Amino acid sequence: VDATNAFKQFHYRSKTAERYLKNLPSQPLDDVKSLLPKEKQQMSTLEKDFITLTEELAKEGWFKPSIPHVLYRVSEVIIMFIVGFYLLNAGYVMPGLLFIGLTGGRAGWLQHEGGHRSLTGNDTVDKFVQDWAIGFGAIISGYKWNIMHNKHHAAPQREGYDLDLETIP
């Protein structure tokens, strides 16, 4: 019924998303609820539990950016890349390729979090880290990834809409 919790999860730091939301037409939630069957008018136990869990994690600091952690992750990608190419150059092809593959995976995680602007708390820095990591580790465009990933979040697991499904063999 109410997308408030989903919106907060995806956009809790985004001033831009808040501006877009304020410009959208809306009506009071009670007006919409009255049109639904009784069982759909109340918040589910799952949603209540999710809110409680989110609040507990926030109190514990799980959503606060950690610059040392971001620096660790960036360093990890660079070091793994160097080790992979060193091993390849030294003739250890399989271990070298393994490290290069792991580098791409770790860079993928880093760019994903940067793309969601959930690394540093600074959108500009997060975007820079995303662009660097996706170009360095995955050798693709951050811009194109954002388009695909936003479509994925708009319609997850829907054939013809979620571009992630088009990668399935």
Side-chain angles (χ1 to χ4, degrees):
V1 174
D2 181 11
T4 301
N5 291 317
F7 181 84
K8 286 180 181 179
Q9 290 299 314
F10 283 115
H11 306 291
Y12 68 98
R13 283 191 196 131
S14 176
K15 291 177 178 82
T16 304
E18 288 287 341
R19 279 195 309 271
Y20 278 112
L21 184 65
K22 286 180 183 174
N23 288 322
L24 292 174
S26 64
Q27 62 188 60
L29 181 59
D30 290 335
D31 292 353
V32 176
K33 280 185 177 178
S34 66
L35 301 173
L36 298 171
K38 286 264 189 233
E39 65 274 6
K40 297 282 186 179
Q41 293 181 12
Q42 299 297 318
M43 188 182 298
S44 70
T45 303
L46 176 65
E47 191 169 7
K48 288 176 188 174
D49 288 346
F50 183 76
I51 292 168
T52 302
L53 175 63
T54 301
E55 290 169 352
E56 289 172 5
L57 291 172
K59 284 179 189 171
E60 292 176 16
W62 283 88
F63 303 124
K64 291 182 182 170
S66 170
I67 301 304
H69 182 77
V70 174
L71 293 173
Y72 166 77
R73 293 298 181 183
V74 169
S75 300
E76 172 186 56
V77 169
I78 293 169
I79 291 167
M80 289 176 73
F81 183 81
I82 291 168
V83 168
F85 274 94
Y86 172 81
L87 290 170
L88 283 174
N89 192 45
Y92 298 102
V93 176
M94 291 309 289
L97 291 175
L98 177 66
F99 263 88
I100 298 297
L102 291 172
T103 300
R106 299 308 289 163
W109 175 86
L110 190 61
Q111 74 80 27
H112 179 267
E113 296 308 303
H116 278 291
R117 310 302 191 258
S118 62
L119 287 171
T120 67
N122 180 315
D123 284 0
T124 303
V125 173
D126 286 356
K127 177 66 177 142
F128 175 81
V129 171
Q130 181 204 19
D131 287 341
W132 173 82
I134 200 165
F136 183 79
I139 314 170
I140 61 174
S141 159
Y143 174 76
K144 291 288 187 187
W145 181 88
N146 282 336
I147 290 171
M148 281 183 31
H149 202 65
N150 287 338
K151 287 180 180 181
H152 156 73
H153 278 292
Q157 305 302 310
R158 287 189 57 208
E159 285 190 48
Y161 297 95
D162 184 351
L163 298 176
D164 284 2
L165 295 178
E166 292 180 20
T167 62
I168 296 173

